[in-house]
Amino acid sequence: MTFEDILPASPSCADCPIRHRAVCSRCDERELGQLEEIKYYRSFEAGQMVIWSGDKMDFVASVVSGIATLTQTLEDGRTQMVGLLLPSDFVGRPGREFAPYNISATTDLLMCCFRKKPFEEMMFSTPHIAQRLLEMTLDELDSAREWMLLLGRKTAREKIASLLAIVAQRDAAVKLRTQRGRMIFDLPLTREAMADYLGLTLETVSRQISALKREGIIELEGKRHVTVPDFDRLLNEAGDDADGGLPT
Amino acid sequence: MTFEDILPASPSCADCPIRHRAVCSRCDERELGQLEEIKYYRSFEAGQMVIWSGDKMDFVASVVSGIATLTQTLEDGRTQMVGLLLPSDFVGRPGREFAPYNISATTDLLMCCFRKKPFEEMMFSTPHIAQRLLEMTLDELDSAREWMLLLGRKTAREKIASLLAIVAQRDAAVKLRTQRGRMIFDLPLTREAMADYLGLTLETVSRQISALKREGIIELEGKRHVTVPDFDRLLNEAGDDADGGLPT
DNA sequence: ATAGAACCTTGACCCAAATCAAAGAGAGCA
DNA sequence: TGCTCTCTTTGATTTGGGTCAAGGTTCTAT
C-alpha cells in the first residue's frame, strides 16, 4: 500500500508524498525532482519506536499509512501524548538537530522521509516552502493550544467526545467526504493511548465510552469500530462547537 | 520606560525592538530602516483587551514592558490560558488574518507593533527573517507541548512549583543573571490568572502556595513578592528537571 | 481616617476521577 | 479445542481538587 491508495493525487504534484499538508501545492518540476532525490521510505511495526526524545533526528517525514504518536513522560512514568500523526501529517523540525519527543508507531507505519540537510537547503532557497512550513507549524501550535483547553478545563466525558469527534472528522476528510450525520470509523488507538492523549486513566476512558454507548450517542461493534448516528449530538457533548483541531 | 530600559541593546541592532526573540540578530542597515518605517507603539491599561479571538489582527508585535496573556474559553465561561507574554516575547502570525485567541493586558502594557502587510513582505523577501520566525514558532510549539504534559499529568502542587520555577527563571534571564540558589521576584499574575494557566481553581492555587510557604520552599512578602531560598528544592517539587519551557 | 472594591486565604463538605481489584473477550497459536 | 496474552470492562473504594461560604488584606478614592 502506498500513499496513493490513501490520498488522492494532486494533479499538479502527483509524486510528492507530502503534498497535502506540506510543501507541494505550488511545487514546480525542478522542486519535485529535488524532493525525489532525497526521499526514502521507512516502515515500522506496531509498537515500535520511531525515535526517542533527545536522539538525533536527521530527517523530516510525512506519514503515508498508519498511526504514530508524539509523547512526553515524567521521570516516574506518567506520560502525556502531545500529538497524533495520521496519514498525510508531517513531522520534523527544520533547523533542529534533536527530537524533542518520543515518536512511536501505534499501528504498522509507513513514512516517507526526506534527508534533513538537503531538505533544509531546499527550504532556504525556495520561499514558498519556508512559508508553507511556517503555516503548518502555526496550525500545529493552534491545535496544541486547543488541546490545552481540553486538558485544563474539560470533563472526562467532554474529553472523550472531543476525541471521537476529531477522529471522526479526520477519517471523513481522508475519505473525502464531510458530513454531519451518520459517521462510521475505526478508533486508531487503544484505551490506554486515548487516556494518555486526554490526561485520564484507561479505566475512566472505558467507563465514559460505555456511558456514551449506553446513551446511544455512539454505537460500538467490537472494541474499535464506532458508529456515530448523529454527529451534532456527539459534538454537543464535547463542550464546544469546535470544528476539530488536534495536535499535529 | 522603553524597551531599552528593560532589555540590553544588541550592538549590531540597537534600534530593532524585536531583536531578542525575533528577526533581528542578523539584521542589516537596510532591514532596520524598513522595520523602523512600519513600526509604532501601542499601550494598554491593566485589564484591557488587546484583541478578541476572531477579530482581524493586522499587526505583529513585541512586548516592550508589562504582561499579556493569551486565553481560550468555552461557552460556559471556563477559561484556559494558553500563553503568557513577557517583555521581549513576540506575538503575531504572518499569513493569518484573524486572531485565534483573546489577548489581554494583565498589567499596564507597552507593545511595539509592526503593520502586518509590510512585515510579511519583508519576511518573504528576507530569508533569515522567515527562518527566524519558523524557529520562534517551533519554540512556542515545544513550550505549548510541555504545558500539555503539565496540564494532563501533574498534580496541583507540581503545577504551582513548575509555574514558580518558570517565572523565576524568566525573571533571572531578564535581569541577565542565571542562578540556581536564592531567587527573588514578583509574581506577575493574580491567583485567578495562575489558576487559568494551570487548569486549577483559584482556591487550590492559594492553598498550594500556602503549603509551599509553610514548608519553607518559598517565602512570601505580601501576596506577590516571592523569595525562593533554594531553587533546586523548588524544581524538585515541579515533578521533573525541566529547564523551564512556557507557552510563549 | 474611612468606605468600598478587588484580591486573597481558610474551612467544611462533596464529587469526579483515580486507584485497586477482578473478571470477560478476542486474537493468535499449538 | 483449548491456552495464553493483551486489551477491555466493571465494581468497590479512596482521594485530590472543586465548590460553597465566610472572613481577612491591601489599595484606592473620597
Side-chain angles (χ1 to χ4, degrees):
Chain A
M1 180 177 275
T2 74
F3 59 88
E4 250 45 82
D5 299 319
I6 294 174
L7 300 168
S10 143
S12 65
C13 196
D15 280 351
C16 176
I18 53 175
R19 66 192 171 283
H20 281 269
R21 298 198 61 207
V23 303
C24 278
S25 58
R26 285 161 292 184
C27 277
D28 63 24
E29 284 305 315
R30 199 188 107 265
E31 287 156 9
L32 285 178
Q34 278 182 266
L35 280 171
E36 207 54 39
E37 275 166 36
I38 62 174
K39 97 177 185 199
Y40 57 98
Y41 290 94
R42 289 181 70 186
S43 59
F44 300 87
E45 286 172 25
Q48 206 181 339
M49 212 66 189
V50 175
I51 199 157
W52 289 94
S53 174
D55 281 1
K56 191 160 180 174
M57 184 165 171
D58 54 5
F59 61 91
V60 299
S62 174
V63 174
V64 173
S65 64
I67 313 280
T69 61
L70 312 182
T71 57
Q72 287 193 312
T73 60
L74 295 172
E75 273 134 35
D76 61 5
R78 281 176 282 175
T79 101
Q80 175 66 49
M81 197 189 300
V82 296
L84 183 61
L85 297 173
L86 303 179
S88 89
D89 281 336
F90 183 81
V91 58
R93 342 217 69 201
R96 302 269 169 128
E97 196 169 359
F98 301 105
Y101 333 104
N102 295 326
I103 304 178
S104 59
T106 58
T107 64
D108 288 348
L109 178 71
L110 181 62
M111 299 182 90
C112 177
C113 305
F114 299 87
R115 287 186 296 121
K116 202 175 71 153
K117 213 43 174 298
F119 187 89
E120 283 172 359
E121 279 158 16
M122 195 173 158
M123 176 183 110
F124 292 146
S125 64
T126 314
H128 79 247
I129 292 183
Q131 289 168 226
R132 187 74 191 93
L133 284 170
L134 178 58
E135 221 172 277
M136 287 167 54
T137 308
L138 286 170
D139 283 344
E140 284 189 65
L141 185 57
D142 285 345
S143 300
R145 284 176 165 164
E146 187 145 338
W147 213 251
M148 285 171 65
L149 176 62
L150 176 144
L151 290 172
R153 293 301 185 198
K154 288 191 180 177
T155 63
R157 160 180 271 247
E158 290 169 335
K159 287 177 174 183
I160 295 286
S162 299
L163 179 59
L164 291 172
I166 285 171
V167 172
Q169 280 183 309
R170 277 295 300 249
D171 182 77
V174 168
K175 290 178 187 154
L176 288 184
R177 48 193 167 67
T178 306
Q179 40 181 137
R180 297 180 70 85
R182 193 175 192 79
M183 293 170 114
I184 301 175
F185 59 94
D186 285 306
L187 275 173
L189 300 171
T190 64
R191 300 291 185 263
E192 187 179 17
M194 286 188 252
D196 284 342
Y197 204 15
L198 300 170
L200 298 171
T201 59
L202 69 90
E203 292 95 330
T204 298
V205 170
S206 181
R207 274 188 249 274
Q208 294 297 335
I209 288 180
S210 297
L212 291 175
K213 180 181 167 190
R214 207 177 314 122
E215 296 168 35
I217 292 163
I218 60 171
E219 290 155 25
L220 263 185
E221 193 182 311
K223 297 161 198 299
R224 300 291 192 86
H225 192 75
V226 179
T227 302
V228 177
D230 179 351
F231 188 67
D232 284 329
R233 197 156 156 236
L234 176 62
L235 222 43
N236 200 40
E237 296 293 334
D240 55 20
D241 300 335
D243 290 283
L246 82 169
T248 290
Chain B
M1 181 179 273
T2 74
F3 58 88
E4 248 48 76
D5 300 318
I6 294 174
L7 300 167
S10 142
S12 64
C13 197
D15 280 351
C16 175
I18 52 174
R19 64 194 172 282
H20 281 269
R21 297 198 61 207
V23 303
C24 276
S25 57
R26 285 161 291 183
C27 276
D28 63 24
E29 284 306 314
R30 199 188 105 266
E31 288 156 9
L32 285 179
Q34 279 182 263
L35 281 171
E36 206 55 37
E37 276 167 35
I38 62 175
K39 98 176 183 197
Y40 57 98
Y41 290 95
R42 289 181 70 186
S43 58
F44 300 87
E45 286 171 25
Q48 207 183 338
M49 213 66 190
V50 175
I51 198 157
W52 289 94
S53 174
D55 282 0
K56 189 159 181 176
M57 185 165 169
D58 55 5
F59 61 91
V60 299
S62 175
V63 175
V64 174
S65 63
I67 314 280
T69 61
L70 312 182
T71 58
Q72 288 193 312
T73 60
L74 296 172
E75 274 134 35
D76 60 6
R78 281 176 282 175
T79 103
Q80 175 67 49
M81 195 190 301
V82 297
L84 183 62
L85 299 173
L86 303 179
S88 89
D89 281 336
F90 183 83
V91 59
R93 342 215 72 200
R96 301 270 169 126
E97 197 170 356
F98 300 104
Y101 332 106
N102 295 325
I103 305 179
S104 59
T106 58
T107 63
D108 288 348
L109 178 71
L110 181 63
M111 300 183 90
C112 176
C113 304
F114 299 89
R115 287 186 296 120
K116 202 175 72 151
K117 212 48 173 297
F119 187 88
E120 282 172 359
E121 279 157 19
M122 193 172 157
M123 178 184 110
F124 293 147
S125 64
T126 314
H128 79 249
I129 292 183
Q131 288 168 226
R132 186 74 190 92
L133 283 170
L134 179 58
E135 221 173 277
M136 286 167 54
T137 307
L138 287 169
D139 283 343
E140 283 189 67
L141 184 57
D142 285 345
S143 299
R145 285 175 165 166
E146 189 146 335
W147 213 252
M148 287 170 65
L149 176 62
L150 175 144
L151 290 171
R153 294 301 186 197
K154 288 190 179 178
T155 64
R157 159 178 271 248
E158 289 169 336
K159 287 177 174 181
I160 295 285
S162 299
L163 178 59
L164 290 173
I166 285 169
V167 172
Q169 282 184 309
R170 277 295 299 250
D171 182 76
V174 169
K175 291 180 187 152
L176 288 184
R177 48 193 167 68
T178 307
Q179 39 182 138
R180 297 181 68 85
R182 192 176 194 79
M183 292 169 115
I184 302 175
F185 60 93
D186 286 307
L187 276 172
L189 301 172
T190 64
R191 300 289 185 265
E192 186 179 18
M194 285 188 252
D196 284 342
Y197 204 14
L198 300 170
L200 298 171
T201 59
L202 69 90
E203 293 95 330
T204 298
V205 170
S206 182
R207 275 187 250 275
Q208 294 298 334
I209 288 180
S210 298
L212 291 175
K213 181 180 165 190
R214 207 176 314 121
E215 295 168 34
I217 291 162
I218 60 171
E219 291 154 26
L220 264 185
E221 192 183 312
K223 297 159 197 300
R224 300 291 193 86
H225 192 74
V226 180
T227 301
V228 177
D230 179 351
F231 188 68
D232 285 329
R233 197 156 154 236
L234 175 63
L235 224 42
N236 200 42
E237 296 294 334
D240 56 19
D241 300 334
D243 291 284
L246 82 168
T248 296

